[in-house]
Amino acid sequence: MSTESRATMRVGGEVTPRPGLPVRAILLTASCGCAMTVLDTNIVAIVLPAIAHDLGARFADVEWVISTYVLCFASLLLPAGAIADRYGRRRVFLGGIAVFAIASLWCGLSSTAAMLSVARALQGVGAACLLAPALAIIGHTFHDEGERAKAWAIWGGMMGLTMVLAPILGGAIAFLLGWRWAFFVNLPICLALASAVVWFIDESRDAAARALDPAGIVFFAAAMFGITWGLINGQAHGWSSAPALTGFGGGVASLGVFLAVEARQPRPMLDLSLFRVPRFIGAVIAMFSYAAASQVMASLLPLYLQNGLGRAPLEAGFAMLPFALAMLIMPQAGRWLGRFLTSPQLLVLGLVLVSLGDLMIGLAARGQHGPAVLVGMLVLGSGGGLMNGETQKGIMGSVARDRAGMASGISTTARFSGILMGFATLSAIVAVVGRSSLLAGACATAAALCDRSRIFAEAVIAGDVPLAISGLPPDVRQAALDLAHTGYAAGFSAAVITASGIALASAVLVAFLMRPTPSLNETAAAPAANR
């Protein structure tokens, strides 16, 4: 029976064929579930300034709109996978679609920034329950090595295409319909996706699925939340303020408890013994740094294009194309380069390109050179695209085959943890440096602007430039608008140059940790997949 005319069902660890369902339909359905999570993240990044203006949000509020979603997403990926394996992948997939749809409706109806952030947190829960079972469904449908490679290639192509289309779609929605439709558009998509799941995907589960780890789930989420809370409140209230210190202290303490709990678990959510292998550590660092210095720019670049260069949302969406297209095309180039370079060498090359791209963007943003920013985005996207598939391969090739499931979960968690920590850290730099530049420039520009310098600076950093210049005398408005753009650009430049340094330092670490070693013990523990 050909793969085009059958689907597999795994119940209790047994695989049985079910005639009549094409596996390509299963692949496309599961891939669409994964693409939903990327689509939502990148569309929302385009409409953030409109959200800030409509809801009167401060910069910290804007940060939480992104951070609560990624926080719940990253924290729940590992447990969502375990729940899906234990209780049924199709069931959890459908549950994730339902939660995502309800949360999207709530997001679109939100009347305050706080309400929107809570709804986004629920949306992150739904996204985790979309992605984890969808990946498992693909993995358990395709068993032949060649078929599986083709399946993941199609999956990667769909994810890349989503990244290309999402900014343009977000810009069109903001221009034609308003920001609320960035969330309402999910409702018909979720309905169609749920119908496809019911029609094409059979229930499957794993009788040997690991037990849930409630303590691990709680303390990992608490660690991520605490550190994020500290970063967001640090830029808003001061790094020595009570909210910032409480967040950092609670986050670090929770991380310590999490590591202690996992070390004593017979079947932990995170197997710490994997981190005894330097090659594995290097691959995880590469994934985290790729996400924190490259993938996070899918959220930060649209803000700069609108708040720093003054582009309209639709213009900003199209201006993201150099970054998005490079991310789509370069994985193919990476497969060709894999004939000549080892996996660690490709990871180092990708990180160096990411560092160079970030540096080019940061320097161009400081001088407000729009075309040079686009060239930097092309270089950045090339490095990110080169790493996009190679990071997963590097992690999976650094562990024994029987630990592949755990390694895959760590890989995905490292990616989204990197996005969360990268966004929170770099956004804090944007706010601190940008605010300082705006406050200094306000009084040097005009007395009328000096009198309301703090309100002006806070509105610009939040992305609400119309509010920042409203009420100013007509002869001051153009100078204030120019200052708003250059001040935001100063903060963004500092953040992206910091990301460049992170990527370069990570390249050095990865090159050291993943260097060829003659150690037989390590070779046995981590069979290499150099190519």
Side-chain angles (χ1 to χ4, degrees), residues 405-430:
M406 175 70 72
S408 179
I410 292 172
S411 172
T412 310
T413 302
R415 180 192 294 259
F416 288 100
S417 298
I419 293 174
L420 175 63
M421 293 294 103
F423 181 78
T425 302
L426 298 179
S427 294
I429 295 172
V430 171

Side-chain angles (χ1 to χ4, degrees), residues 346-374:
L346 283 172
L347 291 177
V348 172
L349 175 60
L351 283 168
V352 170
L353 284 174
V354 166
S355 177
L356 178 61
D358 278 334
L359 181 62
M360 292 172 66
I361 293 170
L363 295 176
R366 182 176 294 174
Q368 292 291 75
H369 299 304
V373 169
L374 297 180

Side-chain angles (χ1 to χ4, degrees), residues 291-508:
S294 175
Q295 202 169 0
V296 72
M297 295 303 164
S299 296
L300 291 177
L301 277 167
L303 297 178
Y304 166 69
L305 292 169
Q306 294 175 81
N307 302 331
L309 290 179
R311 303 286 188 263
L314 189 57
E315 289 181 274
F318 278 102
M320 288 292 293
L321 280 176
F323 175 75
L325 287 172
M327 288 283 287
L328 174 63
I329 294 168
M330 283 305 290
Q332 316 303 323
R335 279 192 279 276
W336 177 78
L337 285 172
R339 302 175 187 174
F340 312 102
L341 300 175
T342 65
S343 181
Q345 288 170 340
L346 283 172
L347 291 177
V348 172
L349 175 60
L351 283 168
V352 170
L353 284 174
V354 166
S355 177
L356 178 61
D358 278 334
L359 181 62
M360 292 172 66
I361 293 170
L363 295 176
R366 182 176 294 174
Q368 292 291 75
H369 299 304
V373 169
L374 297 180
V375 174
M377 289 167 62
L378 183 63
V379 176
L380 174 63
S382 297
L386 195 62
M387 296 188 69
N388 192 27
E390 202 60 41
T391 43
Q392 181 84 3
K393 178 183 172 184
I395 290 175
M396 300 302 289
S398 298
V399 300
R401 188 168 296 178
D402 62 350
R403 312 312 307 278
M406 175 70 72
S408 179
I410 292 172
S411 172
T412 310
T413 302
R415 180 192 294 259
F416 288 100
S417 298
I419 293 174
L420 175 63
M421 293 294 103
F423 181 78
T425 302
L426 298 179
S427 294
I429 295 172
V430 171
V432 171
V433 176
R435 190 182 290 122
S436 175
S437 176
L438 290 163
L439 290 173
C443 290
T445 301
L449 192 56
C450 186
D451 293 340
R452 48 175 294 177
S453 60
R454 188 158 294 279
I455 295 174
F456 171 77
E458 293 301 328
V460 170
I461 292 301
D464 193 353
V465 177
L467 175 63
I469 63 174
S470 65
L472 291 173
D475 60 328
V476 176
R477 286 190 182 179
Q478 186 57 52
L481 183 60
D482 292 341
L483 175 60
H485 291 160
T486 57
Y488 191 93
F492 176 78
S493 174
V496 180
I497 290 173
T498 301
S500 173
I502 292 170
L504 187 59
S506 298
V508 174

Side-chain angles (χ1 to χ4, degrees), residues 37 40-53 55-73 103 106-108 110-125 179 182-183 225 228 232 235 299 303 419-420 423-424 427 462:
T37 63
D40 188 78
T41 302
N42 291 2
I43 286 181
V44 172
I46 292 286
V47 301
L48 276 178
I51 291 173
H53 179 68
L55 299 183
R58 301 167 302 162
F59 183 70
D61 300 325
V62 172
E63 283 188 281
W64 280 119
V65 171
I66 294 288
S67 297
T68 51
Y69 174 80
V70 183
L71 173 65
C72 292
F73 195 178
W106 187 5
C107 287
S110 295
S111 57
T112 66
M115 184 185 299
L116 178 58
S117 294
V118 174
R120 286 283 284 167
L122 182 63
Q123 202 177 33
V125 174
W179 68 265
F183 301 105
F225 177 79
T228 305
I232 291 177
Q235 62 80 20
S299 296
L303 297 178
I419 293 174
L420 175 63
F423 181 78
S427 294

Side-chain angles (χ1 to χ4, degrees), residues 72-112:
C72 292
F73 195 178
S75 300
L76 296 176
L77 273 172
L78 282 174
I83 291 170
D85 286 344
R86 178 171 286 269
Y87 297 107
R89 300 181 183 103
R90 181 175 117 154
R91 180 179 300 169
V92 174
F93 198 0
L94 287 170
I97 294 171
V99 171
F100 196 88
I102 292 168
S104 295
L105 178 62
W106 187 5
C107 287
L109 296 175
S110 295
S111 57
T112 66

